[in-house]
Amino acid sequence: MAAAATTPHSLLLQRAAIPAAPSRASAAASPVRLPVRAARISCAAVAAPSPAAAAAADEVERGVYNFAAGPATLPLSVLKRAQAELVDYHGSGMSIMEMSHRGKEFDAAIKKAESDLRALLAVPDTHAVLFLQGGATTQFAAVPLNLCTGPSDPADFVVSGSWSDKAFKEAKKFSAASVAWSGKDGKYTALPPFDAIAQNPEARFLHICSNETIHGVEFKDYPEPRNRSGILVADMSSNFCSKPVDVSRFGVIYAGAQKNVGPSGVTIAIVRKDLIGAAQPFTPVMLDFKTHADNASLYNTPPCFAIYVCGLVFEDLLAQGGLAEVEKKNARKAGALYDTIDASGGYYVCPVDKSVRSHMNVPFTLAKGPDFEKQFIAEAAKEGMVQLKGHRSVGGVRASIYNAMPLAGVEKLVAFMKDFQARNP
């Protein structure tokens, strides 16, 4: 009887099928050699589809548009390349998840990822690029531990939402952190004029969160630090690589990768080199920037696969024309969504001041109340638009439209919003 056909059920794990066992007679005549790796497949080159056609094809193939805040949608082309290279990476006979992080294959991958990131952001030689673990939340402690000489050193924080508030509270354990401005009274819907930030000239650094994922507030420019060291620190987790940034203005930039540039598991820090090497004496070795700078992010086993995927995303962003072109695409997507909200006659409401609305995370509510928000989210999911529920701390609806969200996804959401309003006046 012929062996039953097998169907691979995972996007990533598609190995060659193992043949049925032979009869004893044939086994005696010829030993069976089982394949240990999938056969290599070469594909003929085809013309690249238009962006609209590619987006439509993505929806058909994947079934949904994913508006999650993070981990978030990744470019389908990146996932397919990771799939193709997963079992046999560049002819090595190994997956990149299996090989030594000190081997030549991964060494080339992490160096290429760093080089492409430097090209994307024009990172100057004055700054080190570090691939870390622990999420951006770990950097809430690492920053004051590395930049303050002791727990009595002051540090300034602009608290513009939930994440900068958490950063401030963690920093208080390792520094004399203080709030230079807070948007809490306004429910985190605005940002301050820069001259309204009450900076301490003795502070070791000024900390901001460049984009608040939960509240949808984004800095369009950055304040000048007035501290004695001229150090500005930014948590850029949710708008990292969404637009050009003058890295030279910052002492430290850090970002979790899982929103715009990769899967969860890796955190990227860009640190001015003169700030490395003066950590507080009790700083844990894994929180000391010098540990990672001296060892090229290989002090211990790094998140190899996550770094590799980040490298693929960086290549994709460069292929799109760099971050200036990516910024234009993001502005167009955000504009379409905000225009729909503002034109709804109050049916949909975005509470954020228009001048600082995020291009990455768009929170809104329905004037008809929470029950209609639940209905909206449920019906959208049935139409292939998922993960639209607002953060548990604020409720409502939130559409996260990071780099990898195609314009077609936003256009579909906009059409649904108009239809939902027409059906539920």
Side-chain angles (χ1 to χ4, degrees):
M1 180 181 293
T6 59
T7 303
H9 294 285
S10 167
L11 176 67
L12 291 176
L13 301 176
Q14 294 186 5
R15 296 178 182 260
I18 297 176
S23 66
R24 291 184 182 179
S26 62
S30 176
V32 176
R33 290 188 176 91
L34 298 182
V36 295
R37 297 289 166 186
R40 297 176 195 166
I41 301 172
S42 60
C43 300
V46 295
S50 68
D58 283 5
E59 183 191 6
V60 170
E61 186 160 357
R62 306 181 75 173
V64 299
Y65 287 119
N66 174 15
F67 291 91
T73 189
L74 285 164
L76 184 59
S77 60
V78 166
L79 292 175
K80 284 189 171 183
R81 183 169 167 191
Q83 175 192 32
E85 296 181 343
L86 183 67
V87 174
D88 183 2
Y89 180 71
H90 292 192
S92 67
M94 297 178 288
S95 170
I96 199 162
M97 292 193 291
E98 300 172 311
M99 59 181 54
S100 170
H101 60 291
R102 304 194 190 281
K104 63 180 182 180
E105 294 90 355
F106 183 73
D107 182 64
I110 193 172
K111 285 179 177 175
K112 178 69 160 53
E114 178 179 341
S115 175
D116 285 348
L117 177 58
R118 284 184 176 276
L120 277 169
L121 283 169
V123 179
D125 291 339
T126 52
H127 288 62
V129 173
L130 308 176
F131 295 98
L132 309 172
Q133 301 182 64
T137 302
T138 300
Q139 298 307 305
F140 296 168
V143 167
L145 283 169
N146 281 272
L147 301 188
C148 295
T149 59
S152 62
D153 271 4
D156 286 339
F157 282 75
V158 174
V159 178
S160 55
S162 293
W163 291 110
S164 50
D165 184 53
K166 289 180 178 180
F168 161 67
K169 290 174 179 175
E170 184 72 358
K172 287 176 70 177
K173 300 175 184 177
F174 310 106
S175 69
S178 61
V179 176
W181 182 87
S182 174
K184 185 175 182 179
D185 289 346
K187 298 183 177 179
Y188 299 127
T189 57
L191 290 174
F194 292 159
D195 59 5
I197 301 173
Q199 295 193 53
N200 178 357
E202 299 303 314
R204 284 292 296 157
F205 61 86
L206 172 65
H207 182 285
I208 65 171
C209 178
S210 63
N211 185 83
E212 290 283 358
T213 318
I214 294 173
H215 295 92
V217 177
E218 181 175 22
F219 279 86
K220 306 304 180 182
D221 193 9
Y222 308 104
E224 290 294 334
R226 297 176 184 168
N227 52 68
R228 64 177 186 261
S229 302
I231 302 172
L232 178 63
V233 176
D235 173 0
M236 291 192 176
S237 291
S238 54
N239 67 348
F240 188 65
C241 285
S242 68
K243 58 184 178 181
V245 171
D246 183 357
V247 173
S248 68
R249 293 181 62 182
F250 296 86
V252 180
I253 292 170
Y254 62 91
Q258 70 274 10
K259 301 176 187 299
N260 255 327
V261 298
S264 59
V266 61
T267 304
I268 297 168
I270 302 175
V271 185
R272 212 171 73 199
K273 292 178 180 177
D274 65 311
L275 302 178
I276 297 172
Q280 297 184 44
F282 52 83
T283 301
V285 65
M286 291 301 291
L287 297 188
D288 191 335
F289 291 151
K290 190 176 190 310
T291 299
H292 305 287
D294 286 352
N295 292 278
S297 300
L298 297 173
Y299 176 77
N300 69 336
T301 306
C304 297
F305 188 73
I307 292 170
Y308 154 74
V309 175
C310 286
L312 299 186
V313 172
F314 298 152
E315 286 187 30
D316 178 73
L317 294 174
L318 287 169
Q320 292 183 50
L323 297 187
E325 290 301 315
V326 170
E327 180 181 28
K328 293 176 185 177
K329 295 176 183 179
N330 288 331
R332 183 178 178 188
K333 290 183 296 182
L337 190 47
Y338 286 121
D339 286 349
T340 300
I341 293 170
D342 294 340
S344 70
Y347 192 88
Y348 300 107
V349 179
C350 176
V352 180
D353 185 280
K354 288 184 179 181
S355 65
V356 294
R357 284 176 169 178
S358 171
H359 284 180
M360 298 288 99
N361 310 100
V362 181
F364 60 94
T365 58
L366 275 69
K368 292 177 72 70
D371 288 342
F372 277 85
E373 290 167 357
K374 292 177 182 178
Q375 181 184 341
F376 177 96
I377 292 165
E379 290 187 15
K382 290 179 181 178
E383 295 296 324
M385 292 164 286
V386 299
Q387 303 293 322
L388 283 165
K389 185 178 180 180
H391 191 270
R392 62 186 180 277
S393 65
V394 296
V397 181
R398 175 176 56 176
S400 294
I401 50 175
Y402 300 121
N403 291 347
M405 173 58 65
L407 178 61
V410 175
E411 290 175 338
K412 182 172 182 178
L413 175 59
V414 162
F416 173 77
M417 292 169 68
K418 294 175 179 177
D419 177 68
F420 185 88
Q421 181 176 357
R423 290 186 289 104
N424 301 278

